[in-house]
Amino acid sequence: MSDELHETVRRAVRRTTWITVLGAVVGVGVGLWLSAGEDPLERALVVVGGLMAIGGFAGTATALIAKRRMSSVTSAPTTGLDAAGKRAVQKAVFAGVPVEPRDPLLALRAADLAEVLSLTLPLATAQFVLLYGGIIGSQVIGLVSSNGWGATFRIILVVVMVIAGVVVIVLMRRSALQVDRYRRALNTDGPAHAA
């Protein structure tokens, strides 16, 4: 499973990167076209907004499709477990501690889940960043046509989204570090840690 998933994630990252770059280039072109004749600040906002919006949404769609294709492989570690078993496995992996109650089957599932998450969490983080970039980019474009309260609302929305985005990225990074900690403990302690 590891080699197949690793290769699938690698292809998904490469495809998402290319689509995002292509979308960003298209976004710049559209921004330049839409802002022809505007003053330099408005033109810059439209170009940057177009780059972020089209690039971000294109990358998000590509990453989402890739994750959908991988869903059978990524859900395999918890398939067939009851709700308590799924919670125990996920709690152990995200907390970086042994599975409780100690059960060899759950320990193996937790090791598989940690392996899957170590490969897919970075892709999920990138998808989140691209989605937020797309949403923020569309709001930046909207600043050009807004005035008064509308512009203030968009600026507040962008600031709130940036703050929320940073918090979520920090939490996702923390989860990735916990998964890595769990995997390191498995490699150090072997089955004794997992079970």
Side-chain angles (χ1 to χ4, degrees):
M1 173 177 78
S2 175
D3 291 340
E4 175 190 346
L5 183 59
H6 190 273
E7 180 60 27
T8 303
V9 169
R10 193 174 64 75
R11 280 194 318 266
V13 168
R14 189 173 55 234
R15 188 179 314 114
T16 301
T17 302
W18 280 109
I19 296 293
T20 302
V21 169
L22 182 62
V25 169
V26 169
V28 168
V30 169
L32 288 171
W33 177 65
L34 289 176
S35 64
E38 301 288 342
D39 69 60
L41 177 61
E42 290 180 355
R43 188 166 197 161
L45 286 173
V46 173
V47 168
V48 169
L51 179 147
M52 291 175 65
I54 296 176
F57 289 137
T60 299
T62 306
L64 188 62
I65 291 167
K67 281 179 61 179
R68 180 96 172 150
R69 288 181 182 161
M70 292 185 283
S71 64
S72 63
V73 177
T74 57
S75 64
T78 56
T79 299
L81 294 177
D82 61 3
K86 287 181 182 180
R87 273 194 308 276
V89 166
Q90 291 170 347
K91 180 179 177 185
V93 172
F94 284 116
V97 297
V99 176
E100 294 294 340
R102 296 190 183 259
D103 178 341
L105 173 64
L106 291 181
L108 289 173
R109 297 289 190 102
D112 289 344
L113 180 63
E115 184 177 353
V116 166
L117 289 173
S118 71
L119 294 171
T120 58
L121 272 177
L123 183 61
T125 304
Q127 179 185 348
F128 175 80
V129 169
L130 290 168
L131 176 63
Y132 256 52
I135 294 169
I136 290 170
S138 67
Q139 295 304 311
V140 169
I141 292 171
L143 280 172
V144 174
S145 61
S146 299
N147 52 26
W149 171 242
T152 304
F153 175 76
R154 286 183 191 274
I155 291 169
I156 291 170
L157 181 62
V158 167
V159 169
V160 168
M161 288 186 70
V162 167
I163 292 169
V166 168
V167 169
V168 171
I169 290 168
V170 167
L171 292 175
M172 291 177 90
R173 180 66 184 140
R174 183 172 175 250
S175 294
L177 291 173
Q178 291 296 83
V179 169
D180 287 342
R181 183 175 131 202
Y182 186 83
R183 292 185 75 221
R184 279 195 310 275
L186 281 178
N187 292 335
T188 303
D189 301 335
H193 175 82

